[in-house]
Amino acid sequence: MEPLNIGADVLIRIPGENWQPICEAYMTEGTTYEWLLHRTDVHNLSFASIPLTFKRADGGIHGNLVTPFQSGEVKFNVDEKSFTTFLYPDSRKMTESQYEQMLSDVLDEAAVCYQYSGSTRALDVSGFQRGMSWPQWKYITSSFSSLKMIISKLSDRPYRILHSRTEFVKREKVKVMSPHAERWLEQSYGKGKKEGIPDQIQTSVRKEAIDVYENQFIKSQLKDLERLLLGYCECGYEQVESEANCFLSRVRYWLRHTFLKEVSNLKGNRVITQVIRKNPVYRMTHQWFDRLNHHGQHKIGFAYSMPLKDTFDLYEMWCYFQIIKSLRKYGFIEDTSALYRFESDGIFLDLSVNHGSTVRLKNQWKVSFQRVYQSNSPAFFTYTHRMVPDIVIEGEESIVIFDPKYRVPSNLSNALGEMHKYRDGILAKQTEKPAVKEVYILTPWQENQELLKFFESDYHHRYQMGAVAMNPGEKQEWLDRWIVETFGEAGALCE
């Protein structure tokens, strides 16, 4: 179908479909499009700030573009003119809850594996050194409304005590002589002393006071929350910063305009008193902040930020730790020290190329993340070019490779075809024969009926390769079964 000539408007389409103006087209992330412009006097072209190449034909220019794997508003710039469109989320993209599940799984397993690291450095579990984390932020956003309700109840009926203190009161206002006032009169105006009744009498006055330890305790926790929210206000993510500013305004209002403005700052260590334990409202307040501290005191974390748009990176890490989790469950983990990097402000996962992110198993096996193979590698090498498979289980004579693929529901067969480069290109140093015995693609999708054969156990056993469905929140039954079939029952590697 010939495209309509509508002047300088940019036309776009998926190859083989009809042309549409870019401002009206339904575009999705991670997709290849053809574009056409009926102009030849063009000097600069870009899409989402990425320069585009083009060809001239039929009184115009045309080319291809691949949309980024990130949804939102984008612009197609033609010299000084911009055409605005919107990229919708790809169906292959995981939900935010799945992202949170993967992040939580990675951090939880990293904390469990720390006991196998052999490190004598203790984890800092102090509740007063709180770092930021994605689970903690989600806890704040989901439960801040309950905190507002709790603070409202505290403001209505804060804990008070009767506080006695001595004051000088005009004698006409003294209705009942307290024992303290009688003693003072006797000492100051008794026998042989001053005569007469003074204009002001020193007496003991009892008044309700809210400046007590329990309220100081609540105020100190709100001040800690204020400092924590200031960090989220500068985290670099627009949506998080916006919500954090709203929460911060509310916390500052509580500190300055409620009963807490009359409460002094807490001095000394924090202790949990009987009032905090038994008073329902104070107990709920303490529990809210205790859960906040539980999320905030993760000291094993990522040394860099993990934005939601980079879910494919997190999926690779998540698959790696799922394999480690299954191996740990069957008693095969020996040493995990290479996973961590120790710094002054915490313990960080050190997962990246060339960092030797390796877990040693019993009987000389090891599981590596993004292991590098090249011509001068010691035990196994490549005779063509440098190769970096994502997950490698390496023994003395053989290798098993797992390659997480987050975006391959439609081209799984091509992705499996690329795995032959590992099977043919990585050789054992001693024998110079192919060392890779099994290759599996790990993917969260299994929708295409034509590709289901790659997921079947018969295909795996016959060809020693295939695909495995791994989704956050589900039991990894295939992985457990494969470990038992490959290494035997629990403890077999020790034999």
Side-chain angles (χ1 to χ4, degrees):
M1 178 179 177
E2 290 296 327
L4 300 176
N5 187 346
I6 53 176
D9 286 348
V10 178
L11 300 177
I12 199 162
R13 70 176 182 182
I14 293 177
E17 297 186 0
N18 296 332
W19 293 98
Q20 287 182 302
I22 193 171
C23 298
E24 301 176 6
Y26 182 90
M27 300 180 67
T28 57
E29 53 189 9
T31 307
T32 300
Y33 290 92
E34 295 177 347
W35 60 268
L36 175 66
L37 179 63
H38 282 287
R39 283 179 51 184
T40 56
D41 56 335
V42 176
H43 300 91
N44 296 308
L45 279 173
S46 65
F47 181 80
S49 301
I50 300 174
L52 298 176
T53 59
F54 57 87
K55 298 179 181 178
R56 301 181 186 274
D58 300 330
I61 56 176
H62 64 92
N64 297 325
L65 63 86
V66 179
T67 55
F69 207 71
Q70 182 177 5
S71 58
E73 189 177 89
V74 292
K75 293 183 178 181
F76 191 107
N77 297 313
V78 182
D79 291 336
E80 301 299 325
K81 188 174 182 179
S82 295
F83 300 88
T84 302
T85 188
F86 192 88
L87 293 183
Y88 291 89
D90 193 288
S91 60
R92 296 171 292 178
K93 202 164 193 175
M94 287 184 176
T95 63
E96 188 171 326
S97 62
Q98 289 175 309
Y99 175 89
E100 295 170 20
Q101 180 70 49
M102 287 195 298
L103 188 59
S104 178
D105 288 347
V106 169
L107 293 176
D108 289 346
E109 185 60 25
V112 173
C113 287
Y114 182 74
Q115 63 184 310
Y116 296 92
S117 66
S119 173
T120 58
R121 180 181 299 196
L123 289 176
D124 180 11
V125 293
S126 168
F128 303 100
Q129 296 292 332
R130 301 186 182 95
M132 296 185 296
S133 68
W134 184 257
Q136 182 190 66
W137 172 247
K138 299 309 295 181
Y139 170 76
I140 294 174
T141 56
S142 62
S143 63
F144 196 82
S145 58
S146 64
L147 179 63
K148 290 196 292 185
M149 179 192 67
I150 293 170
I151 298 299
S152 176
K153 291 183 178 180
L154 285 176
S155 299
D156 292 339
R157 298 186 63 181
Y159 180 67
R160 306 168 185 266
I161 62 172
L162 282 174
H163 181 68
S164 298
R165 61 181 179 180
T166 58
E167 290 183 356
F168 282 95
V169 180
K170 292 183 178 180
R171 62 186 180 186
E172 60 267 20
K173 292 187 177 181
V174 177
K175 297 180 180 181
V176 179
M177 288 294 293
S178 66
H180 177 87
E182 291 177 354
R183 287 195 302 270
W184 179 79
L185 283 173
E186 184 177 352
Q187 292 172 2
S188 301
Y189 293 88
K191 296 179 181 181
K193 297 183 180 180
K194 299 179 182 179
E195 298 181 357
I197 299 176
D199 294 333
Q200 292 187 335
I201 297 175
Q202 187 184 78
T203 185
S204 177
V205 179
R206 300 181 69 187
K207 292 185 178 180
E208 286 188 341
I210 61 173
D211 190 13
V212 296
Y213 172 82
E214 287 74 12
N215 294 331
Q216 294 173 359
F217 182 86
I218 299 300
K219 185 173 183 177
S220 68
Q221 289 184 317
L222 285 173
K223 281 184 169 292
D224 286 344
L225 179 58
E226 180 185 23
R227 286 190 287 270
L228 187 63
L229 290 172
L230 281 171
Y232 284 110
C233 288
E234 301 173 355
C235 67
Y237 301 105
E238 184 176 353
Q239 183 177 357
V240 174
E241 290 179 351
S242 176
E243 292 183 78
N245 275 303
C246 294
F247 296 153
L248 181 62
S249 299
R250 175 63 63 173
V251 172
R252 285 176 170 172
Y253 175 84
W254 291 333
L255 291 171
R256 292 168 175 78
H257 299 284
T258 61
F259 73 98
L260 293 172
K261 66 181 178 181
E262 301 176 21
V263 177
S264 59
N265 294 325
L266 178 66
K267 297 180 180 179
N269 296 328
R270 295 175 179 173
V271 294
I272 308 302
T273 64
Q274 289 296 323
V275 173
I276 296 175
R277 288 192 182 99
K278 295 183 177 181
N279 186 295
V281 181
Y282 282 81
R283 185 173 65 249
M284 286 191 298
T285 310
H286 169 63
Q287 290 172 346
W288 193 95
F289 283 99
D290 185 63
R291 287 190 289 268
L292 175 72
N293 297 344
H294 175 75
H295 289 94
Q297 65 189 19
H298 286 297
K299 290 303 180 184
I300 298 178
F302 298 108
Y304 50 89
S305 60
M306 182 67 64
L308 186 60
K309 68 183 180 65
D310 291 339
T311 309
F312 59 92
D313 282 339
L314 181 58
Y315 183 71
E316 293 175 358
M317 297 180 186
W318 178 79
C319 289
Y320 180 62
F321 274 97
Q322 289 301 297
I323 294 173
I324 291 175
K325 183 178 180 179
S326 293
L327 289 166
R328 176 178 60 80
K329 183 165 60 175
Y330 288 100
F332 296 151
I333 300 296
E334 182 174 332
D335 180 29
T336 61
S337 58
L339 292 179
Y340 308 100
R341 185 172 78 248
F342 298 93
E343 296 184 0
S344 59
D345 55 346
I347 303 171
F348 297 96
L349 288 176
D350 197 15
L351 300 178
S352 57
V353 180
N354 294 323
H355 279 200
S357 306
T358 298
V359 172
R360 286 197 294 110
L361 306 181
K362 297 173 181 177
N363 199 20
Q364 306 304 315
W365 288 79
K366 55 187 178 182
V367 186
S368 302
F369 184 77
Q370 295 187 346
R371 170 85 156 85
V372 176
Y373 294 100
Q374 50 194 20
S375 59
N376 60 350
S377 298
F380 304 97
F381 72 100
T382 65
Y383 61 89
T384 54
H385 60 278
R386 183 173 181 262
M387 297 182 185
V388 189
D390 289 327
I391 302 172
V392 174
I393 300 182
E394 186 178 294
E396 293 183 347
E397 300 178 354
S398 61
I399 294 173
V400 178
I401 291 178
F402 293 94
D403 198 35
K405 295 292 186 183
Y406 179 56
R407 317 172 191 169
V408 294
S410 59
N411 58 352
L412 184 57
S413 57
N414 293 335
L416 278 172
E418 293 180 2
M419 296 300 101
H420 285 288
K421 68 180 181 181
Y422 296 139
R423 300 191 70 167
D424 300 330
I426 300 178
L427 308 179
K429 198 78 170 181
Q430 294 181 348
T431 63
E432 292 193 357
K433 294 182 178 180
V436 178
K437 302 304 181 184
E438 299 178 63
V439 179
Y440 298 101
I441 285 179
L442 309 179
T443 175
W445 307 107
Q446 190 177 344
E447 297 178 353
N448 194 326
Q449 296 297 320
E450 297 178 358
L451 303 178
L452 284 180
K453 65 176 182 179
F454 298 130
F455 295 86
E456 296 175 354
S457 59
D458 291 342
Y459 188 93
H460 295 168
H461 288 120
R462 183 174 182 179
Y463 300 107
Q464 299 297 296
M465 68 184 304
V468 179
M470 291 186 64
N471 293 285
E474 297 181 1
K475 291 184 178 180
Q476 311 306 328
E477 296 179 355
W478 182 92
L479 195 56
D480 291 344
R481 187 169 59 251
W482 179 86
I483 288 175
V484 172
E485 292 175 355
T486 304
F487 299 127
E489 295 295 336
L493 288 178
C494 300
E495 298 177 357

